[in-house]
Every structure is written in C-alpha cells, then in structure tokens.
C-alpha cells in the first residue's frame, strides 16, 4: 500500500503513545485486566485512525475485507503472521461498533476479553 512516509512515522508515534496511555490507566504494567492483544487492538486501530484519509484509503484497499464480526481474528498468531492485516481488521472492527467509546471503556476495564499471548509462553 502506498502510504506517505511521514504519515506512517507519525502513525507509529500514535501507536506507541496509545500504549503509554493504556499502561497509565492501569495500576501497573502487569495488571491483567488488559491483555497484550487488547492493547495492540486499540493501538493499531488508533494508528490507522490517525492516518490522513488518502493514506488510510490506500492501506485499507490493500487489505480488502469486511469488518470482523467478533474478536476471533485478534490473537497472537494473527498479529505475528501479518501485523498490517491485524491493524486493518482492528480499524474496521472498531469502526463497526455502534458505541466506540463504551467499547473502548469495556476493553480497558478488562470486561471485553481478547486472546493473550502470555498464554503461549
């Protein structure tokens, strides 16, 4: 996908800032209410949200698919095999949720459960 280098770099910064914000919301980084995969879902979704419209369109066009209906595609293996596919799935899924703010609150509280890569160690 053709994505402007500077836009891509800025989106990576957004991704990492989201991680920092999520960890600040927890008592400490080892808090189990937020799995690593949940954090990646949120960070990737916001990374794509931060892209300029043209760059986002190019990236989504490179990974055409319907939004996932559930959280099944958001797991350790999917992230490791194809991070860009994981990212576009996260963006599409989050954009398909009716109340995104409430859904994000539920993710941060641990109410929404994702697969976690810690279980594979």
């Amino acid at each position: 996908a053709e994505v402007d280098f500077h836009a891509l770099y800025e989106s990576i910064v957004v991704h990492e800032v989201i991680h920092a914000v999520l960890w600040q919301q927890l008592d400490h980084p080892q808090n189990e209410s937020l799995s690593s995969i949940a954090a990646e879902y949120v960070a990737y979704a916001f990374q794509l949200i931060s892209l300029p419209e043209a760059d986002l369109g190019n990236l989504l066009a490179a990974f055409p698919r319907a939004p996932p209906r559930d959280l099944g595609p958001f797991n350790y293996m999917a992230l490791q095999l194809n991070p860009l596919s994981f990212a576009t799935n996260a963006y599409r899924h989050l954009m398909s949720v009716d109340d995104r703010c409430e859904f994000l609150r539920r993710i941060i509280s641990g109410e929404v459960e994702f697969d976690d890569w810690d279980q594979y160690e």
Side-chain angles (χ1 to χ4, degrees), residues 15 18 22 34 37-47 86 90 94 104 107-108 114:
H15 181 107
I18 294 299
L22 290 174
L34 183 70
I37 295 299
E40 290 301 334
Y41 170 96
V42 175
Y44 273 117
F46 275 89
Q47 180 177 355
F86 185 98
L94 183 61
L104 289 168
I107 290 173
I108 292 168
F114 286 78

Side-chain angles (χ1 to χ4, degrees), residues 8-85:
L8 177 63
Y9 179 80
E10 289 174 358
S11 77
I12 293 169
V13 172
V14 168
H15 181 107
E16 295 307 323
V17 167
I18 294 299
H19 280 302
V21 169
L22 290 174
W23 288 125
Q24 279 187 339
Q25 296 299 311
L26 304 173
D27 292 334
H28 54 83
Q30 301 304 314
N31 188 317
E32 294 183 22
S33 69
L34 183 70
S35 72
S36 300
I37 295 299
E40 290 301 334
Y41 170 96
V42 175
Y44 273 117
F46 275 89
Q47 180 177 355
L48 268 59
I49 288 168
S50 76
L51 287 171
E53 189 174 326
D55 293 312
L56 175 61
N58 289 341
L59 183 58
L60 294 176
F63 295 89
R65 62 184 52 94
R69 294 175 167 247
D70 58 33
L71 299 177
F74 305 106
N75 58 62
Y76 173 76
M77 189 63 82
L79 176 61
Q80 296 302 309
L81 287 175
N82 196 334
L84 287 176
S85 179

